[in-house]
Amino acid sequence: MVDDEIEFEAPVFTSCACCGNRSTHLVRFVTRRGNAFAVYYADFADGHDMVSLIASVGDWSEDLGAASRRTAFAMRLWVDGDRYQVGLVDAAESGYSDGFLGHILDRNEALAHPLRQEAFDLSDHAVACDRPVIEFLDNQPRGG
Ligand SMILES: [Zn+2]
């Protein structure tokens, strides 16, 4: 795995729009070799069975207009048996809009995008070392 550093911000709790359960919002800034490189958000609500992850890769400098040089990949994480699964979803399913995170790709665009592997590296980081994400996924009911 590449040598990235992740800054773990404190979680923000809200209520899920669909069920009112506690919803957790995580913001992670990722630095590679000292440079701001990517950001991902993870959102999940108690009682739901997946984590929504949006990973934005590109220019995370403070430059004006940097957001236009970012590309965002909308993903979901879930558990199947003992394994973490990840899948790309369409922009409309991400819960976010183009803007700060850059242009959010639809699934088909994401699958063909040259930065696709960066997005999967970030989801790998999330399931390897992002404790609230891991705890949520590990507390999912097993079997069936
Ligand atoms: Zn809900």
Side-chain angles (χ1 to χ4, degrees), residues 11 43 52 57 87 114:
D43 291 275
S52 291
V57 183

Side-chain angles (χ1 to χ4, degrees), residues 20-31:
N21 285 348
R22 185 183 70 162
S23 184
T24 304
H25 176 63
L26 305 173
V27 176
R28 305 317 194 198
F29 296 96
V30 185
T31 301

Side-chain angles (χ1 to χ4, degrees), residues 16-21 45-46 48:
C16 179
C18 84
C19 59
N21 285 348
D46 297 349
H48 286 244

Side-chain angles (χ1 to χ4, degrees), residues 13 18 20 30 34 47 51-52 55 61-62 66 71 79 89 92 105 109 114 118 127 139 141:
F13 300 109
C18 84
V30 185
V51 174
S52 291
S61 69
E62 310 266 314
T71 302
V79 173
V89 299
L105 302 173
E109 297 176 285
E118 304 286 9
V127 296
N139 283 328

Side-chain angles (χ1 to χ4, degrees), residues 6-14 22-29 40-44 130-133:
I6 303 179
E7 192 178 317
F8 296 98
E9 302 280 304
V12 175
F13 300 109
T14 56
R22 185 183 70 162
S23 184
T24 304
H25 176 63
L26 305 173
V27 176
R28 305 317 194 198
F29 296 96
Y40 71 83
Y41 295 167
D43 291 275
F44 48 89
D130 200 326
R131 187 160 299 165
V133 170

Side-chain angles (χ1 to χ4, degrees), residues 96-115:
Y96 293 95
S97 317
D98 285 14
F100 182 66
L101 297 169
H103 174 57
I104 303 170
L105 302 173
D106 280 326
R107 185 171 183 277
N108 284 341
E109 297 176 285
L111 284 167
H113 199 281
L115 292 174

Side-chain angles (χ1 to χ4, degrees), residues 70-143:
R70 298 171 192 154
T71 302
F73 295 79
M75 294 182 278
R76 280 184 183 162
L77 302 172
W78 69 97
V79 173
D80 183 11
D82 288 331
R83 302 184 56 172
Y84 300 123
Q85 303 288 327
V86 58
L88 291 159
V89 299
D90 285 338
E93 294 177 68
S94 71
Y96 293 95
S97 317
D98 285 14
F100 182 66
L101 297 169
H103 174 57
I104 303 170
L105 302 173
D106 280 326
R107 185 171 183 277
N108 284 341
E109 297 176 285
L111 284 167
H113 199 281
L115 292 174
R116 179 191 62 209
Q117 191 54 49
E118 304 286 9
F120 287 125
D121 285 348
L122 291 168
S123 65
D124 284 348
H125 281 316
V127 296
C129 52
D130 200 326
R131 187 160 299 165
V133 170
I134 294 164
E135 283 175 3
F136 176 80
L137 291 173
D138 286 352
N139 283 328
Q140 293 295 316
R142 298 303 168 104

